[in-house]
Amino acid sequence: MPPTASVRRAFVAFAASAAVLGAAAVPAVAAPHTASAASAASAGYAGYAGYAGQGDSARLGYQKAVAAGVLKGVFERGDTAVVDRFVRTDYIQHNPLAPDGAETLKNLAVSVHQQFPDAEYDIKRVISEGDLVLVHSNVVLTPGTRGSAVFDIFRFQGGKIAEHWDAGQNVPETTANGNDMFSTVSRPRTEAPGSRRLTAYNKKLVTAAVEQLLVRKDLSALDRYWGPEYHQHNPNIADGVAGAKAGLGAYFKAFPQLSVSPKRIVAEGDLVAVHSHYVNAPGERGQAVVDLFRVRNGKIVEHWDVLQDVPATSANDNTMF
């Protein structure tokens, strides 16, 4: 949730760094540290039917493991074979710096590994719903640097990755709230999503909250849907509900014609992600934004996000949305 126009300027450096990579199509991530994830990834496309046959939970776990395994293979090891195994040849790309197709991803794997052999993609959270997987990561190309906060969204088709959207921004040196862009502050302090039995309820709650607060710009939504213990990870907004009211109140006042258009929502358990197009004023290209909310006991208690400017040109014809 962007508070001011000045926030947007911080993302130019991220776009430039992505261009250096030769069009960073999909930020890489470390595989989830679970036996089931490892077994799902190693099973490959041939094993997809077996996982799908075991029910929704197994299929979603398979999708999460494959997304993470592909990204780690591509960006940490320069492995092109993993693309052949898990990515459709007609792969649709929404990152504006990369063309469509699996071959682009394979070329990127070689290029990134050559230029940044010690690159690390540290997964913080992975959630899956339906045919979508969302990955929240800290991407560090050069050890010792803060890197970037990145959200990737993948669509699966027949057990393979078919489509990809992303957004990312540089991690700043300091934040207005004292929280970094990745940690979990609300209890229990776990990055794993909660029980899937609450997915539908939490998704409905966040959908309503976003509609009232961001689409209709009604600050009273913060009193209705947000909990008194609210932890903020947007580096430019102060902690708590009061911080959100002040930051967003100033933002809405500065941009009275702000338009927020949610494009897709991915939820699992207590985590709900909303991928939106923010346009501050008519005629602007706007920003691609991913907001990730944590819901506990029927209230939003934590928030992470990234914001990236929509560029004037793109290497593909798909837009960022």
Side-chain angles (χ1 to χ4, degrees):
M1 296 183 292
T4 65
S6 63
V7 176
R8 302 197 307 271
R9 294 192 290 270
F11 313 135
V12 175
F14 174 83
S17 67
V20 169
L21 296 184
V26 192
V29 293
H33 300 297
T34 66
S36 61
S39 61
S42 64
Y45 177 64
Y48 169 70
Y51 282 97
Q54 293 176 28
D56 194 53
S57 180
R59 179 182 58 81
L60 296 176
Y62 170 90
Q63 290 179 171
K64 292 197 289 186
V66 167
V70 166
L71 296 173
K72 187 172 181 66
V74 166
F75 290 92
E76 292 193 351
R77 302 194 303 272
D79 182 0
T80 59
V82 75
V83 178
D84 291 326
R85 191 175 184 185
F86 293 110
V87 179
R88 289 174 58 95
T89 56
D90 58 351
Y91 173 67
I92 300 169
Q93 178 60 261
H94 294 269
N95 181 307
L97 298 169
D100 285 329
E103 286 302 313
T104 296
L105 193 55
K106 291 165 68 173
N107 293 337
L108 180 64
V110 175
S111 175
V112 169
H113 191 59
Q114 289 176 344
Q115 295 180 61
F116 303 98
D118 299 317
E120 180 180 0
Y121 287 80
D122 181 14
I123 282 186
K124 302 302 182 180
R125 293 161 191 87
V126 187
I127 63 175
S128 185
E129 181 190 20
D131 59 358
L132 298 176
V133 175
L134 177 131
V135 183
H136 182 205
S137 307
N138 182 198
V139 180
V140 179
L141 298 179
T142 304
T145 62
R146 292 184 297 274
S148 303
V150 177
F151 280 103
D152 292 285
I153 301 174
F154 301 97
R155 180 178 64 82
F156 275 72
Q157 183 178 339
K160 288 191 173 186
I161 295 173
E163 193 164 6
H164 167 256
W165 303 260
D166 67 355
Q169 69 182 73
N170 286 339
V171 175
E173 185 175 352
T174 60
T175 70
N177 46 59
N179 303 321
D180 62 38
M181 294 187 72
F182 305 103
S183 62
T184 299
V185 181
S186 60
R187 295 182 183 277
R189 291 180 178 172
T190 175
E191 279 70 43
S195 171
R196 286 197 179 104
R197 66 184 177 82
L198 295 174
T199 297
Y201 174 86
N202 291 335
K203 184 176 184 178
K204 183 177 180 180
L205 183 148
V206 168
T207 300
V210 167
E211 170 68 23
Q212 183 175 342
L213 178 64
L214 298 175
V215 177
R216 305 205 313 257
K217 298 184 281 292
D218 180 357
L219 291 174
S220 70
L222 290 162
D223 298 315
R224 180 176 182 182
Y225 294 105
W226 271 252
E229 179 207 9
Y230 175 58
H231 302 284
Q232 177 64 257
H233 295 271
N234 179 308
N236 298 286
I237 301 180
D239 216 20
V241 172
K245 283 184 177 179
L248 288 172
Y251 180 48
F252 296 160
K253 185 176 181 179
F255 299 100
Q257 293 182 285
L258 168 70
S259 171
V260 176
S261 303
K263 300 299 181 179
R264 54 195 50 82
I265 301 177
V266 186
E268 182 180 345
D270 56 0
L271 296 176
V272 183
V274 184
H275 180 210
S276 305
H277 186 193
Y278 283 55
V279 179
N280 286 336
E284 293 187 359
R285 292 186 297 273
Q287 297 170 301
V289 178
V290 178
D291 290 292
L292 177 63
F293 301 93
R294 192 183 199 196
V295 182
R296 304 292 295 176
N297 300 319
K299 297 289 184 179
I300 295 172
V301 298
E302 198 155 7
H303 168 257
W304 305 260
D305 66 356
V306 298
L307 306 85
Q308 182 176 340
D309 285 338
V310 175
T313 61
S314 175
N316 56 67
D317 297 324
N318 304 319
T319 81
M320 292 187 72
F321 307 99

